[in-house]
Amino acid sequence: MRILIFIFLSAITFWLPAQSLPGAWKPYLSHGNATASVVRGNTLYAITQGGMFSYDTETQETRIFSTVDGLSGISPTVITYDPVSDLVFIGYNTGMIDYFTNPDDIRQLNDIERNTTFIAKRINQLITDGDNLYVGTDFGVVVYDIPQRLPLTDVSQIADNPTRQPIVSMDVFDNRLFVVVEGAGLFSASLEASNLKDPSVWRAEGGLNGLALEAEVIEIAANSTQIFILLEGQVWQKGLTGDWALVPDFANGYIHIFVTEEALAAMEIVSTRVQYFGSFRYTPFIQGNVRHLAFSEERGRMYFSTAIQGIVEFDNFEIQKIDPGGPKLNEAIRLAAGNGELYVAPRGYNQAFTPDPAAAGVFYYNRETGWRNLDSASQTLPKEVSTGFARAFYDDATGNAYLGSFGRGIVRIEQGDWQEYYDCTNSGISIITDPCSQSRLDNSRISGMDKDVFGNLWVSLDFARNPLVVQTTDGEWYQMPNQRFPNNHHIIDMAVDEYGNKWLLNAEQGLIVYNDGSTPTDFDDDQLVQLKAGLNQGGLPSNEVTSIAVDRDGFIWVGTGQGVTVYFDPFSIGQGQVVDASPPIFDGRALLKDAIINGIDVDGGNRKWIATNEGVFLVSEDGDDVIYQFTTENSPLLDNEVNDIAIDQSTGEVFMATARGIISFQSDATAGSDICDEILVFPNPVLPDFDGSVTIRGSGAESIVKITTVSGLLVREIEAQGGTAVWDRRDIYGNEVRSGVYLALIATRNGENACIGKFTVIGR
């Protein structure tokens, strides 16, 4: 009989293949923090803290590049273009150098990155002269032969400076290589020198040609006829002949300089002064710290690289932001996804778990419309709840998202538009009882949200006298009695299971499980259990609980500072019993033993996606097999420190919030969809005091309803009458069934129009 049930299950499987081909990676990164850019013909290439993007200056089309597209990283440090070889070079803090003519074929120079002599290998400057690529690093200068793509020499000691200080700036002028050595000054050597590694070929420029002997040069830039330096906020210039002289009108407060054959640009924090040689000068106002300026000589435009607005185009005194799309920032502590939508909670608190008043709003993505950044400044969020978002919950049943602020309350959002907000003035979400003030940033630190089977919204609060509150389906708010909770609670997250248990993660003190007896307004029948490490105390591998998920069998997966464990009997725990957890066993040991688990989510095939500080693990339904381990070494994963995972069950797309931004992986499992128009099982759950029959409505005419356990064991077979089947809660032997989660498997006699209903029975 059990074999027949498995055949039946295979016909109406719990998960279906995703529409996209599995295995595709997709980055979701911010390009608002731009480092530099270069112009190659009609294409601008800009490096940002999200990788690189290109901009066609004629068609205005943009294209994004990341590790998925062959870049060595997503935080390049410097970029340059060599017109002789027609190559774009990109440097990184690891010492890696990417280069390309066609960005669809990105290649690497990895000699510096592979070098084991030096620890600090950051690429600070790239300069070309047509034949050679001069690389300024944290340990000195490396020279490459461009046609051969081979290193010619490395210079770790310049003049009498034996400390191998970083090269912070560099350029070629008058057949000499000029370098600024951090803390040591300005030096130069002839490009015709036979051996740049010989310290004697380098000369200190301090004290020469009118340059002060103790002058601390910050930056250098040159064209074919002039060389410029940035000296204590001032710009100085020297031609092919003559001495150094202060450039008029560039005498104070500058932090960067940039030079082309046509113009000099000097950048302040909020503005940039540009002087066309022999022509005019002007100062465009660009919001944000300007890092770099690129000129398009063919189109007569300037492109500013800024820390806030990304790349800004300046054309005939008109300013236009070039936006390739993406979240406002690459910060992401929690994600919520569903139905083609993604909501990002950036962080909201600092390391001490106190509210961050400078925290950003909500980052929202829609597959159809792209990115929107929601905040009060754009009037896309109410001013009462507009910042500090640290938690996110997506309700698949309603399509609503709930974003929790660490200090300001909750905002309910539908398809990117906020609908309601809840703070201490209009709800029970407050960490203190009195007074309530919207101006206080510590009133309502939201640490977790979830809904129960009745549709009630449960909310946990961190450092609160009443750490658990509920909004019932009629819109009313209730606080659970604080005297029922232990005095020492630091609630960092929560989940609600199918038995109505509220699982609260009490940071380094284990778990608190609260059951309201399906009566959130009646506290007399409530139960509370504490689960900790130790035999007969909860069996946690560590009291440092970090994450939680309820799987499709109703089991509770708990992430800790020492791996993963599972509670297989949540019902008994909800009845006030202490039950020990059991870790899944893989390869003869506890699954991910000693790993810090940051997040867990369950896909349509009941497999677990686990976020750790060592990458992302996909494990089998029971956790006895590791299917994938994604790291930066074997995949485009942006960082091995992964804060959270959220799965869009409708598409199978798995979103990963890493320490460097968001990336997704297209999984091959989605949540099963009912072929029947609608399935209604009621009551659900079936409570101990219920004496009637369970009604299963939504089946097709002349359908067969098979009641099974979640493991596939047949309990009872019933013939539907019209579109309804009635079950007396007894098995095929006439015995009343035990407590547990059951499935109603519905199909016509020939196996068509199959669908599944799921419900819970709580025995007497």
Side-chain angles (χ1 to χ4, degrees):
M1 182 63 69
R2 192 164 186 172
I3 295 175
L4 294 176
I5 292 302
F6 283 130
I7 294 174
F8 187 81
L9 285 171
S10 68
I12 48 177
T13 178
F14 297 115
W15 59 276
L16 303 173
Q19 296 300 310
S20 304
L21 289 175
W25 290 85
K26 184 177 180 180
Y28 294 88
L29 294 168
S30 170
H31 294 278
N33 188 347
T35 305
S37 66
V38 295
V39 177
R40 173 178 171 265
N42 291 323
T43 304
L44 174 86
Y45 292 100
I47 57 172
T48 73
Q49 293 305 297
M52 180 182 76
F53 73 88
S54 64
Y55 172 71
D56 191 307
T57 58
E58 290 185 337
T59 65
Q60 300 186 343
E61 294 178 346
T62 60
R63 179 183 172 188
I64 294 172
F65 299 86
S66 72
T67 52
V68 176
D69 307 285
L71 291 183
S72 295
I74 60 163
S75 300
T77 56
V78 64
I79 186 170
T80 195
Y81 171 61
D82 178 47
V84 176
S85 63
D86 195 28
L87 288 172
V88 175
F89 295 92
I90 301 173
Y92 297 86
N93 58 7
T94 61
M96 188 69 80
I97 300 174
D98 292 340
Y99 69 93
F100 63 86
T101 296
N102 178 358
D104 290 321
D105 183 20
I106 299 174
R107 304 191 180 191
Q108 283 76 36
L109 301 173
N110 61 4
D111 305 275
I112 298 174
E113 191 269 342
R114 291 188 297 108
N115 184 287
T116 59
T117 303
F118 307 104
I119 298 175
K121 298 178 260 189
R122 185 182 193 271
I123 307 298
N124 301 314
Q125 187 80 60
L126 294 170
I127 298 295
T128 68
D129 63 3
D131 295 321
N132 297 324
L133 171 69
Y134 301 93
V135 184
T137 75
D138 270 358
F139 62 82
V141 178
V142 177
V143 184
Y144 274 88
D145 180 288
I146 293 179
Q148 298 296 322
R149 317 284 200 269
L150 293 174
L152 295 175
T153 187
D154 64 274
V155 184
S156 58
Q157 181 176 343
I158 293 176
D160 58 353
N161 175 41
T163 57
R164 298 174 178 171
Q165 294 297 322
I167 306 299
V168 296
S169 187
M170 183 171 57
D171 213 336
V172 171
F173 175 70
D174 194 19
N175 204 34
R176 297 186 70 84
L177 177 64
F178 286 79
V179 299
V180 178
V181 182
E182 185 179 83
L186 178 64
F187 298 84
S188 74
S190 171
L191 295 180
E192 297 178 355
S194 59
N195 184 12
L196 290 177
K197 297 185 71 169
D198 181 358
S200 66
V201 306
W202 293 88
R203 78 183 186 198
E205 295 293 324
L208 299 178
N209 304 113
L211 184 64
L213 184 63
E214 301 299 328
E216 185 174 351
V217 178
I218 304 300
E219 193 172 15
I220 185 170
N223 59 22
S224 61
T225 60
Q226 300 176 90
I227 184 170
F228 298 83
I229 59 173
L230 185 61
L231 178 66
E232 297 179 349
Q234 299 177 332
V235 181
W236 290 68
Q237 172 269 337
K238 179 186 178 302
L240 293 171
T241 61
D243 292 337
W244 290 98
L246 179 66
V247 180
D249 299 325
F250 289 80
N252 189 42
Y254 295 97
I255 58 174
H256 291 301
I257 56 175
F258 185 82
V259 177
T260 69
E261 295 298 319
E262 292 79 16
L264 160 71
M267 287 148 264
E268 299 175 295
I269 293 294
V270 296
S271 66
T272 300
R273 173 165 291 190
V274 181
Q275 174 181 319
Y276 277 85
F277 301 125
S279 180
F280 59 91
R281 61 181 64 92
Y282 51 86
T283 306
F285 178 81
I286 305 294
Q287 181 183 2
N289 188 346
V290 177
R291 274 86 173 275
H292 188 265
L293 179 60
F295 286 86
S296 173
E297 299 177 7
E298 294 183 8
R299 305 188 67 85
R301 298 173 183 172
M302 294 180 290
Y303 298 92
F304 296 87
S305 301
T306 76
I308 296 176
Q309 294 193 96
I311 299 295
V312 178
E313 181 183 66
F314 188 88
D315 179 25
N316 196 25
F317 295 94
E318 292 185 359
I319 294 176
Q320 175 184 341
K321 179 182 176 181
I322 301 174
D323 186 5
K328 183 177 180 180
L329 301 171
N330 283 326
E331 279 197 332
I333 192 68
R334 287 292 185 271
L335 304 174
N339 299 315
E341 298 179 274
L342 174 67
Y343 291 86
V344 182
R347 183 170 292 275
Y349 52 78
N350 55 29
Q351 292 182 343
F353 275 90
T354 58
D356 180 3
V362 175
F363 309 151
Y364 169 69
Y365 174 76
N366 185 295
R367 293 182 68 186
E368 303 298 328
T369 60
W371 282 96
R372 291 171 60 198
N373 298 315
L374 311 181
D375 51 36
S376 59
S378 61
Q379 298 183 341
T380 50
L381 286 183
K383 65 180 185 303
E384 291 83 359
V385 184
S386 60
T387 187
F389 292 98
R391 295 294 181 262
F393 165 66
Y394 189 88
D395 184 8
D396 286 292
T398 64
N400 287 319
Y402 296 82
L403 277 295
S405 168
F406 213 73
R408 297 283 187 169
I410 297 173
V411 59
R412 179 171 69 85
I413 307 175
E414 184 175 1
Q415 293 188 339
D417 297 323
W418 74 271
Q419 307 298 313
E420 297 178 280
Y421 73 88
Y422 312 104
D423 61 12
C424 67
T425 66
N426 63 359
S427 72
I429 49 177
S430 176
I431 69 170
I432 55 177
T433 56
D434 188 66
C436 170
S437 170
Q438 291 176 341
S439 63
R440 292 190 58 173
L441 269 175
D442 59 354
N443 269 323
S444 49
R445 304 177 187 180
I446 309 301
S447 63
M449 296 168 287
D450 202 354
K451 281 193 173 183
D452 62 22
V453 295
F454 301 105
N456 301 313
L457 176 67
W458 291 86
V459 179
S460 63
L461 304 172
D462 197 15
F463 299 116
R465 292 181 58 185
N466 299 86
L468 184 62
V469 301
V470 62
Q471 184 192 34
T472 56
T473 53
D474 59 4
E476 296 298 320
W477 287 89
Y478 300 93
Q479 295 179 337
M480 301 303 103
N482 69 291
Q483 62 268 22
R484 290 185 174 270
F485 293 87
N487 291 328
N488 183 19
H489 50 254
H490 171 21
I491 310 301
I492 61 172
D493 210 341
M494 71 163 297
V496 182
D497 68 19
E498 295 180 351
Y499 298 104
N501 300 321
K502 290 74 185 174
W503 297 74
L504 308 182
L505 276 63
N506 193 17
E508 298 182 356
Q509 299 297 318
L511 293 163
I512 300 172
V513 184
Y514 188 92
N515 191 298
D516 66 312
S518 300
T519 55
T521 62
D522 180 5
F523 308 131
D524 293 335
D525 60 349
D526 295 0
Q527 297 281 349
L528 185 143
V529 174
Q530 294 187 66
L531 304 173
K532 296 187 176 183
L535 185 64
N536 299 324
Q537 298 186 64
L540 289 169
S542 167
N543 283 330
E544 183 189 356
V545 288
T546 55
S547 52
I548 191 167
V550 182
D551 77 4
R552 295 182 180 276
D553 291 333
F555 303 145
I556 313 301
W557 288 64
V558 180
T560 76
Q562 295 183 24
V564 180
T565 195
V566 184
Y567 287 96
F568 293 100
D569 188 9
F571 171 76
S572 296
I573 295 173
Q575 300 301 302
Q577 300 180 36
V578 174
V579 176
D580 283 351
S582 300
I585 303 300
F586 168 68
D587 201 19
R589 66 196 302 264
L591 178 67
L592 302 181
K593 181 177 174 58
D594 301 327
I596 298 175
I597 310 301
N598 299 323
I600 307 172
D601 207 347
V602 182
D603 70 14
N606 206 21
R607 302 175 303 181
K608 283 69 183 181
W609 293 78
I610 303 175
T612 75
N613 287 348
E614 302 165 18
V616 172
F617 292 80
L618 170 61
V619 304
S620 61
E621 178 177 1
D622 298 325
D624 57 359
D625 185 26
V626 174
I627 301 169
Y628 293 127
Q629 179 189 2
F630 295 124
T631 67
T632 56
E633 288 73 29
N634 65 12
S635 74
L637 189 67
L638 304 175
D639 195 280
N640 285 335
E641 181 182 338
V642 184
N643 299 322
D644 195 24
I645 284 182
I647 302 175
D648 186 336
Q649 301 291 351
S650 68
T651 64
E653 189 170 7
V654 182
F655 295 93
M656 309 171 189
T658 78
R660 295 192 177 187
I662 302 168
I663 193 168
S664 76
F665 179 82
Q666 183 58 59
S667 171
D668 57 356
T670 61
S673 59
D674 296 333
I675 303 174
C676 303
D677 291 336
E678 182 179 11
I679 293 180
L680 177 63
V681 181
F682 65 93
N684 186 12
V686 181
L687 301 177
D689 58 353
F690 179 72
D691 291 324
S693 296
V694 176
T695 300
I696 304 164
R697 182 175 295 166
S699 59
E702 298 182 352
S703 292
I704 298 298
V705 179
K706 296 178 185 288
I707 308 298
T708 77
T709 65
V710 292
S711 61
L713 181 64
L714 179 64
V715 176
R716 187 79 173 270
E717 181 175 304
I718 307 166
E719 185 172 346
Q721 301 297 320
T724 302
V726 178
W727 176 49
D728 61 3
R729 294 181 293 121
R730 295 184 181 277
D731 62 18
I732 57 177
Y733 303 107
N735 300 318
E736 189 167 324
V737 298
R738 297 179 180 180
S739 299
V741 179
Y742 293 86
L743 302 177
L745 310 176
I746 305 172
T748 62
R749 290 187 180 277
N750 59 7
E752 296 177 348
N753 296 331
C755 52
I756 302 175
K758 192 174 184 180
F759 59 99
T760 301
V761 174
I762 302 174
R764 283 188 279 266

